[in-house]
Amino acid sequence: MRTIEWRDGVVLTINQLKLPHETEILELRTCGDVAEAIKTMKIRGAPVIGVAAAYALALTAHHSKAKNREELLMELERAAEILRATRPTAVNLFWAIERVLGKAKKMHDDVRELASAIISEAITLAEEDVAANRKIGMHGATMMEDGDTVLTHCNAGALATVDYGTALGVIRAAVEQGKRVRVIATETRPKLQGARLTTYELKRDGIPVTLIADTMVGYVMYRRMVDKVIVGADRIVNDAVINKIGTYQIAVLAKIHEIPFYVAAPKSTFDINRTSAEVVIEERSPEEVTCIGRERIAPEGVDVFNPAFDITPLEYVTAIICEDGILYKEDIDKIKRKH
Ligand code: MRU
């Protein structure tokens, strides 16, 4: 199945906390269920968080007993507030909420028609995500050469999107074209999305993958074991790419070793009117760092800093691959000037 699906008034999704050992399908029936799943990272990855939020508004509309348009709009606003408070960094969440709410506000139909339009908009958004990923894959695959070893960080695969993935979509597309591509996946402490999810997806697809600890990136680059780096993004701002913690140090190492550093992301991840200084970087619980799984590894009472994302200035990014094509610095500057 896809990572997330709408089925007759229920949202089905894979519980990403249980992978790779168990494939548990969650049945989410209310906006609160979806918000909890996003907050606890049962659903994670910028594009799928956005689609989940859109489906949460669809659930609100589907189950609403509102007697008129105004009542339904108020319920949707309340649901949107709950969703906005789940995770602060990935812009796709806010983008999807605004898109669905914007559609609802523009419509003046009767309450039932309004509810079904909201559900259709959420389903459209999910379909667009898959289509965008396919295009990202197609554009990005032109940058991959037969025999490449590509390093990726975190999970920007099918599980982080509705299907196919962004960074892993590029790798999948290259492999579909017959190119032999090997992947090095970083484990991605503290939540281990690379070790648990990226390796799971690639192994399932028969794409060769080697897992390394985050601390080994410099060594594999020094030993010339990496031809390219490709990662996803949670938000692309005026001056930087914001992505999973650890991305920045990989980008700096890639530059020093003259290895191209690509970012693959749909346009729903672009927030070009903002600078990195304006973005809230999520900080998560200390236990994610003091423990590995359920086992505590650090002494009680130690101070912990646990930012979930970091900021990679655009000067470290070779190109951004989006559904419209490959954007180099000049193209990004042009987009910036338009805003
Ligand atoms: O904290 P997460 O797992 O939601 O963070 C995910 C990432 O940082 C991904 O790289 C990003 O969302 C891009 S996914 C296509």
Side-chain angles (χ1 to χ4, degrees), residues 72-317:
L72 179 55
L73 287 180
M74 263 158 57
E75 281 178 29
L76 289 169
E77 281 292 356
R78 280 197 294 272
E81 268 319 295
I82 294 167
L83 293 163
R84 287 190 194 104
T86 52
R87 296 191 74 189
T89 307
V91 75
N92 309 61
L93 176 84
F94 304 93
W95 169 86
I97 293 169
E98 288 328 308
R99 169 136 162 211
V100 175
L101 281 186
K103 167 101 186 175
K105 283 180 194 156
K106 268 198 220 119
M107 292 187 61
H108 291 278
D109 307 60
D110 108 291
V111 66
R112 281 298 108 210
E113 279 169 28
L114 182 55
S116 59
I118 289 162
I119 296 165
S120 308
E121 185 70 359
I123 293 170
T124 303
L125 216 121
E127 293 304 327
E128 284 176 8
D129 180 65
V130 182
N133 295 338
R134 289 274 171 186
K135 285 192 187 148
I136 290 170
M138 186 186 76
H139 296 304
T142 63
M143 317 297 283
M144 301 291 129
E145 280 164 65
D146 187 31
D148 268 353
T149 297
V150 181
L151 185 139
T152 190
H153 185 55
C154 192
N155 172 264
L159 290 162
T161 61
V162 176
D163 206 357
Y164 206 63
T166 57
L168 295 195
V170 169
I171 291 163
R172 285 196 167 99
V175 170
E176 283 163 18
Q177 290 174 3
K179 292 176 183 165
R180 283 160 300 179
V181 177
R182 310 183 70 84
V183 178
I184 294 180
T186 53
E187 63 175 352
T188 321
R189 273 282 285 156
K191 292 293 282 182
L192 303 172
Q193 293 92 329
R196 295 189 303 105
L197 308 175
T198 296
T199 56
Y200 163 80
E201 277 195 34
L202 293 173
K203 275 185 78 61
R204 197 187 48 187
D205 284 7
I207 299 173
V209 56
T210 303
L211 175 66
I212 61 168
D214 301 327
T215 43
M216 299 168 189
V217 172
Y219 180 70
V220 293
M221 288 187 178
Y222 182 82
R223 294 290 302 267
R224 305 205 166 279
M225 291 164 72
V226 180
D227 299 300
K228 278 152 195 141
V229 176
I230 182 158
V231 297
D234 289 83
R235 202 186 275 243
I236 298 173
V237 288
N238 213 291
D239 56 339
V241 168
I242 297 170
N243 190 47
K244 179 52 54 197
I245 191 77
T247 302
Y248 174 48
Q249 61 202 30
I250 296 173
V252 172
L253 280 162
K255 193 166 188 103
I256 288 167
H257 291 278
E258 297 179 349
I259 296 168
F261 181 94
Y262 297 110
V263 174
K267 286 189 290 180
S268 53
T269 307
F270 286 50
D271 188 15
I272 229 73
N273 288 327
R274 255 183 264 272
T275 65
S276 50
E278 295 170 80
V279 179
V280 178
I281 301 292
E282 177 183 11
E283 287 182 32
R284 298 186 60 87
S285 81
E287 287 73 32
E288 289 183 357
V289 181
T290 54
C291 302
I292 295 185
R294 293 217 179 97
E295 193 183 341
R296 189 166 177 106
I297 47 159
E300 294 294 339
V302 69
D303 284 340
V304 173
F305 178 47
N306 183 20
F309 302 95
D310 65 20
I311 297 164
T312 301
L314 288 180
E315 70 209 66
Y316 293 95
V317 177

